[in-house]
Amino acid sequence: MANSEYEYVKSEFEFDSRLPPSNWIVVRIDGCHFHRFSKIHTFEKPNDENALRLMNACATSMLEKFPDIVFAYGVSDEYSFVFREETEFYQRRESKILSLCVSYFTSVYVMKWKDFFPNKELMEPPYFDGRVVCYPNLKTIRDYLAWRQVDCHINNQYNTCFWLLVKSGKTEKEAQQALKGTFSKDKNELLLQQFQINYDDEPAIFRKGSCVYRDKVEIKVKTDCCGNPIKRLRLVIAMANVDIIGSEFWENHQYILREEKCRYEYVKKFDINHRLPPCNWTVVRINACQFERFSLIHSFNKPNDWTSLRLMNASASLMMESFPDILFGYGFGNEYSFLFQEKTELFQRQESLILSSCISRFTSFYMMKWKEFFPDKELVEPPYFEAELLCYPKQKTVCDYLSSRQAECHTNNQYNTCFWMLVNSGKNENEAHEILKGTLSKDKNELLFMQFHLNYNNEPAIFRKGSCIYWQKVEESADVVDREKITRERWDVVVAHVDMEPEFWRMRPCILNRWHLAG
């Protein structure tokens, strides 16, 4: 921590919520407002095969990226990812696992969109929410997956009937009424009698959903002295649309999960929603993952890439517009913190939904805005982010937290400025680290001035102070309607690069009180 005065905001309020050991971890990702999203992008009803194939491609990328995922099952705009029982992925920290998975899935979805919809422009950013559920044994995992596939069958059979009725001329209300109270055999009969469709002949991807896993495949590795091929079993990521309720699949793939008798009626009791304590200020802090590699691949300038920072600010501004409960954002480098008003009821204060929705939407905005800021740079690999959620009981503590992040910004940027100036002057990276080892702030300022004739305080404020984003009233007008004077206000999101000292908050009391003022 850069400034010991503020160190308590970390030690007293930042806790690692770790998932219990010896439990299988399931991350279930679900599209947010995908009814609207599918309508805007004219997806086929009841199933759009290209949209499903895009979801499957994202799931395949997840298994390629995260080796601890042993199995994935998806249907419609939902995917469940099963991590092996003994995984120590991010030390089993819930927020890290959830945010990384949702962010990477979102990023790949946007990146692969053109592969599956080459003639369809992405009209608005997709985003997903997610939750983490722990299951204590293999039997329960089998039951969980069976439950999801049963749900797939029920929903798809209903939707197949519903949309055929609508396309035949019925209104949506009439179609709902016709299906009200029907059982599976009634729907099968309706499809056969009215539309000459045998439901069992419908594509398996619609009826059974999709499984993604590592399959054992014989691969030729070399030839012997006689020219005969020598083969070895290798694990290759496969996708299949098969029954996973019965035992046949699991008997043939015992290396994924061991066989257990399935019963899926009780699995929902494990799905617990953690809610944030009331009347606490909530901060969602987002960090880019492996950003050193990402910035290197995309040739970002060192120590600061102006365009990259502006892209982060643009994404943060869209976050403010998307979530009215966000009062303030502060960012530097590859990090952004978003402060929600203390009485927010966003997602009924469910931690996993707030965290996953924020990380997914931020990722989506970053992806969608890339071309605007880097028109001449192809996005080579999908960026992805992690996030954590922090709660603070008092406004002063929140301000101290933000001050601690700005102190970190100053410390990091001053060091990096010195480091890269030394490297660019001919030093290697080890030499530069050694020169700066143990130096204080004034030593670095002196080094910059004496060796490079650079006054650190004249460096751009966006590098030294980071970026503050908040709502500011820019216009107020009064109209007379029915002899009553009505005052209208207009607020815009502004970006500033300033010190967040107590004077900053005194001069702008409406920032942290905007929600109360609006109310």
Side-chain angles (χ1 to χ4, degrees):
M1 184 67 67
N3 193 323
S4 60
E5 178 185 351
Y6 306 121
E7 190 168 357
Y8 76 96
V9 300
K10 179 176 178 67
S11 60
E12 294 182 20
F13 292 98
E14 295 190 20
F15 300 102
D16 287 335
S17 177
R18 295 176 189 267
L19 298 169
S22 297
N23 272 249
W24 295 80
I25 297 170
V26 173
V27 176
R28 187 165 74 238
I29 294 173
D30 207 358
C32 279
H33 304 304
F34 251 60
H35 179 76
R36 166 189 160 83
F37 183 83
S38 63
K39 190 174 182 181
I40 289 172
H41 294 94
T42 58
F43 284 2
E44 289 288 327
K45 298 292 186 180
N47 296 290
D48 189 295
E49 190 164 352
N50 285 332
L52 294 175
R53 286 170 57 231
L54 171 55
M55 290 289 288
N56 292 343
C58 295
T60 300
S61 293
M62 289 284 284
L63 265 74
E64 291 169 351
K65 186 70 179 177
F66 305 118
D68 278 11
I69 297 176
V70 295
F71 190 82
Y73 175 76
V75 52
S76 186
D77 61 341
E78 171 193 307
Y79 241 103
S80 296
F81 297 95
V82 181
F83 284 78
R84 63 185 181 88
E85 181 183 14
E86 297 302 323
T87 182
E88 283 301 321
F89 185 56
Y90 276 90
Q91 296 79 52
R92 301 179 75 93
R93 292 161 68 185
E94 181 177 1
S95 62
K96 294 281 190 181
I97 293 172
L98 178 63
S99 56
L100 277 170
C101 287
V102 176
S103 178
Y104 191 74
F105 191 93
T106 305
S107 195
V108 174
Y109 191 96
V110 176
M111 195 164 189
K112 288 185 177 290
W113 174 269
K114 277 294 180 189
D115 295 346
F116 295 90
F117 296 102
N119 301 317
K120 253 181 205 176
E121 194 65 34
L122 192 55
M123 304 297 291
E124 67 174 34
Y127 65 107
F128 300 81
D129 62 37
R131 64 186 64 206
V132 178
V133 188
C134 285
Y135 296 103
N137 51 52
L138 289 166
K139 178 181 180 299
T140 320
I141 283 289
R142 285 275 305 275
D143 288 352
Y144 169 81
L145 293 168
W147 168 52
R148 298 319 302 139
Q149 190 164 58
V150 167
D151 214 43
C152 168
H153 163 72
I154 293 170
N155 290 340
N156 185 67
Q157 190 185 43
Y158 181 94
N159 290 335
T160 301
C161 294
F162 176 84
W163 286 106
L164 281 169
L165 288 168
V166 169
K167 289 173 182 178
S168 71
K170 292 190 180 293
T171 66
E172 293 191 7
K173 283 189 177 179
E174 287 171 338
Q176 286 171 345
Q177 195 60 36
L179 295 170
K180 190 175 180 180
T182 57
F183 295 101
S184 180
K185 62 181 179 63
D186 303 322
K187 296 183 184 75
N188 280 343
E189 188 174 336
L190 181 150
L191 290 171
L192 195 60
Q193 294 296 321
Q194 293 194 37
F195 303 104
Q196 293 75 54
I197 290 175
N198 184 334
Y199 181 73
D200 291 336
D201 293 336
E202 288 291 285
I205 190 174
F206 304 156
R207 294 182 292 111
K208 298 179 184 293
S210 299
C211 305
V212 181
Y213 54 93
R214 293 177 185 84
D215 201 4
K216 286 184 177 178
V217 177
E218 269 198 344
I219 294 177
K220 175 185 171 182
V221 293
K222 58 182 178 179
T223 55
D224 62 20
C225 58
C226 299
N228 300 313
I230 297 175
K231 297 181 179 181
R232 296 283 186 270
L233 281 177
R234 294 287 185 267
L235 289 175
V236 176
I237 294 175
M239 198 282 296
N241 311 112
V242 293
D243 185 281
I244 54 172
I245 298 173
S247 61
E248 182 179 353
F249 175 83
W250 301 113
E251 286 174 355
N252 294 332
H253 301 83
Q254 293 184 34
Y255 52 90
I256 300 175
L257 301 174
R258 292 199 304 270
E259 181 185 4
E260 294 279 351
K261 184 180 177 182
C262 295
R263 186 169 64 88
Y264 48 81
E265 296 88 354
Y266 67 98
V267 296
K268 280 190 176 180
K269 71 181 181 181
F270 293 97
D271 204 344
I272 300 168
N273 291 320
H274 295 284
R275 296 180 188 273
L276 302 174
C279 297
N280 270 247
W281 298 84
T282 302
V283 173
V284 174
R285 186 166 74 217
I286 293 172
N287 268 290
C289 286
Q290 299 182 348
F291 206 69
E292 185 64 32
R293 166 188 162 84
F294 183 82
S295 62
L296 187 66
I297 289 172
H298 295 92
S299 308
F300 285 1
N301 292 323
K302 297 290 187 181
N304 296 288
D305 188 292
W306 188 289
T307 307
S308 171
L309 293 174
R310 287 173 53 237
L311 172 55
M312 290 287 288
N313 289 344
S315 303
S317 297
L318 290 171
M319 288 286 288
M320 298 279 288
E321 294 171 7
S322 297
F323 295 103
D325 281 8
I326 296 178
L327 300 178
F328 190 81
Y330 174 74
F332 68 95
N334 61 341
E335 170 189 313
Y336 240 101
S337 294
F338 295 100
L339 171 65
F340 287 78
Q341 59 94 358
E342 60 182 326
K343 294 185 179 178
T344 182
E345 284 300 322
L346 180 67
F347 294 114
Q348 293 78 51
R349 300 182 75 89
Q350 292 181 51
E351 181 177 354
S352 61
L353 296 184
I354 293 173
L355 191 72
S356 55
S357 294
C358 283
I359 194 73
S360 182
R361 194 169 283 203
F362 187 89
T363 305
S364 203
F365 287 146
Y366 190 94
M367 295 286 292
M368 296 284 285
K369 284 283 184 181
W370 176 269
K371 273 294 178 190
E372 182 179 326
F373 288 88
F374 293 105
D376 302 320
K377 257 182 201 174
E378 193 64 34
L379 194 56
V380 177
E381 66 174 37
Y384 61 108
F385 301 80
E386 65 184 22
E388 54 191 317
L389 196 148
L390 315 167
C391 284
Y392 298 107
K394 298 176 184 176
Q395 193 175 109
K396 179 186 181 302
T397 318
V398 168
C399 294
D400 284 351
Y401 164 79
L402 293 168
S403 293
S404 76
R405 301 320 301 146
Q406 190 164 56
E408 191 82 5
C409 168
H410 162 73
T411 302
N412 290 348
N413 186 65
Q414 190 184 42
Y415 182 95
N416 290 334
T417 302
C418 293
F419 177 83
W420 286 106
M421 292 292 284
L422 287 168
V423 170
N424 292 336
S425 72
K427 303 283 186 191
N428 64 45
E429 294 192 7
N430 285 338
E431 288 172 334
H433 282 306
E434 196 59 36
I435 290 169
L436 295 172
K437 191 175 180 180
T439 56
L440 303 177
S441 180
K442 63 182 180 61
D443 302 323
K444 296 184 185 74
N445 279 344
E446 188 174 338
L447 181 151
L448 290 171
F449 190 73
M450 298 302 292
Q451 291 195 37
F452 305 106
H453 314 294
L454 187 150
N455 185 336
Y456 179 73
N457 293 325
N458 291 337
E459 288 290 282
I462 189 175
F463 302 158
R464 294 182 292 111
K465 301 175 187 288
S467 300
C468 302
I469 295 191
Y470 52 92
W471 290 97
Q472 181 171 285
K473 187 163 65 175
V474 294
E475 188 178 273
E476 187 173 289
S477 60
D479 295 325
V480 177
V481 179
D482 296 333
R483 297 184 179 180
E484 286 189 28
K485 186 178 179 181
I486 298 176
T487 303
R488 291 186 175 86
E489 295 179 344
R490 187 167 71 83
W491 296 69
D492 278 353
V493 175
V494 298
V495 181
H497 315 293
V498 293
D499 288 317
M500 289 186 291
E501 296 174 341
E503 185 65 18
F504 171 83
W505 302 109
R506 280 198 295 271
M507 294 291 291
R508 300 168 181 82
C510 61
I511 292 178
L512 299 184
N513 296 313
R514 179 173 179 268
W515 184 81
H516 298 287
L517 295 173

